[in-house]
Amino acid sequence: INNAINNKNISQGIVTDEFEKELAKILNVPYIVCTTNGTVALTLSFLASGIGPGDEVIIPNRTYVASANSFMILGAVPILIDSRKDRPNINEDLIENKITSRTKAILPVHLNGNAVDMDKINIIAKKHKLVVIEDACPSFMSKFPNQNNFLGTRSRFGCFSLGVVKLITTGQGGFVACHNKEDYNIL
């Protein structure tokens, strides 16, 4: 921290570049883009996906308000799906009945490290040509059960928070994980 402050690398620059590279190595993704917080990470992901006024985003009915705020600020509409009975995640089996011609995205939330079934989510999304943005803000470093990959790494964008109550904090901050150069450049 002292080195960053003394070299005037407070919000961007060498320190941020190094941090993004290290996060990418840890999560085993090609690209990381640091943001000011998890909400901005989510909002940038929706912007990069072309989500806008009147578009519908499927979201669990149990999450933090920032999940919905991130796309509602763009004019998109939340479509709430009940949570599962066995854990506080979106019930994947209820999603397809809520998809309409205006549905453009699914936002699964890995609430407090509880993994959403991303295989099911990605099958539904592919079938209906929907973008998937994982909200892993409260789940950094959590892994899928019986797998070696991290929550937030199994979709077009994975969004994370580094706020003061998170597992790893920078005081404030967040980041987006993505898998292709085009998305990275858009962010």
Side-chain angles (χ1 to χ4, degrees), residues 114-127:
N114 290 286
V116 173
D117 186 336
M118 290 306 298
D119 290 334
K120 280 187 180 180
I121 295 287
N122 287 325
I123 288 168
I124 294 167
K126 185 176 182 179
K127 178 180 175 183

Side-chain angles (χ1 to χ4, degrees), residues 96-180:
E96 283 197 272
N97 290 334
K98 295 282 192 158
I99 295 173
T100 72
S101 61
R102 293 182 1 198
T103 307
K104 303 295 182 220
I106 303 173
L107 180 66
V109 180
H110 302 292
L111 194 59
N112 302 322
N114 290 286
V116 173
D117 186 336
M118 290 306 298
D119 290 334
K120 280 187 180 180
I121 295 287
N122 287 325
I123 288 168
I124 294 167
K126 185 176 182 179
K127 178 180 175 183
H128 296 278
K129 297 179 175 128
L130 305 175
V131 67
V132 178
I133 298 170
E134 287 176 81
D135 182 342
C137 287
S139 301
F140 181 57
M141 296 305 294
S142 297
K143 289 188 175 182
F144 288 96
N146 304 316
Q147 296 179 25
N148 198 27
N149 51 353
F150 292 98
L151 306 185
T153 63
R154 303 257 325 265
S155 61
R156 182 174 175 188
F157 298 108
C159 302
F160 298 85
S161 173
L162 298 169
V164 295
V165 297
K166 303 303 187 225
L167 180 62
I168 294 178
T169 182
T170 56
Q172 188 58 285
F175 62 93
V176 181
C178 60
H179 300 277
N180 68 61

Side-chain angles (χ1 to χ4, degrees), residues 59-108:
I59 184 172
N61 67 352
R62 184 172 181 192
T63 185
Y64 183 63
V65 68
S67 300
N69 285 346
S70 67
F71 59 83
M72 290 178 69
I73 195 168
L74 304 174
V77 179
I79 303 300
L80 299 174
I81 304 293
D82 286 337
S83 295
R84 298 172 55 104
K85 291 183 181 179
D86 60 336
R87 61 182 186 271
N89 296 103
I90 193 167
N91 187 332
E92 302 89 350
D93 297 330
L94 302 178
I95 292 174
E96 283 197 272
N97 290 334
K98 295 282 192 158
I99 295 173
T100 72
S101 61
R102 293 182 1 198
T103 307
K104 303 295 182 220
I106 303 173
L107 180 66

